[in-house]
Amino acid sequence: MLMPGATTPAAARALEPVLGPPVSVPDPERLVHLQFRRFAGCPVCHLHLRSVVRRHAEIEAAGIREVVVFHSPPAELHPHLDGLPFPVVADPDKRLYAAFGVESSPRSLLSPRAWGPIARAVLLGTWELLRGRARPPVRRPRGGRLGLPADFLITPDGRVAAVKYGEHADDQWPVDELLTLAAAAREARPAATKA
């Protein structure tokens, strides 16, 4: 969904990913898809991120930089970073979550709309664990298990072009919606900045 105040700027910040160099948000040359996920090893988050990984080349070709934030410390995130081609940021104190208004709620797991995706994610995650292709989440993740996802699309000039605050654990932008929102954001750029 487009944010009512689409001109609202996102404060410029340099984020420190668990691996790799600092990441500037906003990015001066690309749109940034800033994803807030739940905890390291979250089966629903894992399933969603795999869909992003499968289409990462297409996302990059659309001029979008992926940046993913978890409310887990780096030590909990490290075992889950294999195969992720984008920066992953640890925010165990939830400072970024607070700055962007991302919340936790029992509805993350209690919403009937989440039950099917949760069951599917747990089944597929268990299969990957048994095959040695995934690691289990920690028993008591820092920040709890009730986090809600959120997605932000931030333009190079720092405007928040679109935002989605998830209503349950599996409520985030699918890749097709992200690509559509990015195309709309590029079309909405002020005439002076269009190349």
Side-chain angles (χ1 to χ4, degrees):
M1 107 169 112
L2 287 178
M3 190 169 169
T7 59
T8 303
R13 47 183 55 84
L15 303 180
E16 294 285 337
V18 177
L19 300 173
V23 178
S24 295
V25 176
D27 183 304
E29 303 195 4
R30 297 181 279 181
L31 294 165
V32 172
H33 176 208
L34 185 62
Q35 299 187 42
F36 287 86
R37 298 294 145 232
R38 296 162 21 90
F39 54 91
C42 162
V44 175
C45 302
H46 177 77
L47 199 57
H48 172 69
L49 288 178
R50 291 297 163 209
S51 73
V52 174
V53 169
R54 279 192 300 276
R55 295 183 65 189
H56 190 250
E58 186 180 352
I59 292 167
E60 281 195 323
I64 304 165
R65 178 170 200 174
E66 291 289 341
V67 179
V68 182
V69 182
F70 281 91
H71 62 72
S72 299
E76 289 179 16
L77 280 169
H78 266 286
H80 303 281
L81 297 179
D82 288 346
L84 297 182
F86 37 75
V88 175
V89 176
D91 185 23
D93 297 322
K94 293 188 174 182
R95 289 188 180 118
L96 280 172
Y97 285 77
F100 281 85
V102 182
E103 302 176 345
S104 293
S105 172
R107 76 178 184 271
S108 68
L109 300 177
L110 298 178
S111 171
R113 292 180 294 164
W115 298 345
I118 289 170
R120 180 174 180 261
V122 168
L123 286 172
L124 290 172
T126 301
W127 177 244
E128 286 190 5
L129 282 169
L130 293 172
R131 294 172 60 194
R133 294 186 176 177
R135 306 252 180 160
V138 295
R139 291 185 187 267
R140 293 191 179 124
R142 184 165 175 180
R145 296 183 180 272
L146 301 180
L148 290 166
D151 295 274
F152 294 81
L153 189 61
I154 302 170
T155 64
D157 63 358
R159 290 179 303 110
V160 177
V163 64
K164 179 179 184 77
Y165 289 101
E167 295 182 13
H168 56 79
D170 188 46
D171 190 16
Q172 63 264 318
W173 288 334
V175 173
D176 286 333
E177 187 172 354
L178 170 64
L179 294 173
T180 299
L181 290 167
R186 281 191 302 277
E187 285 299 313
R189 284 187 303 175
T193 64
K194 288 186 180 178

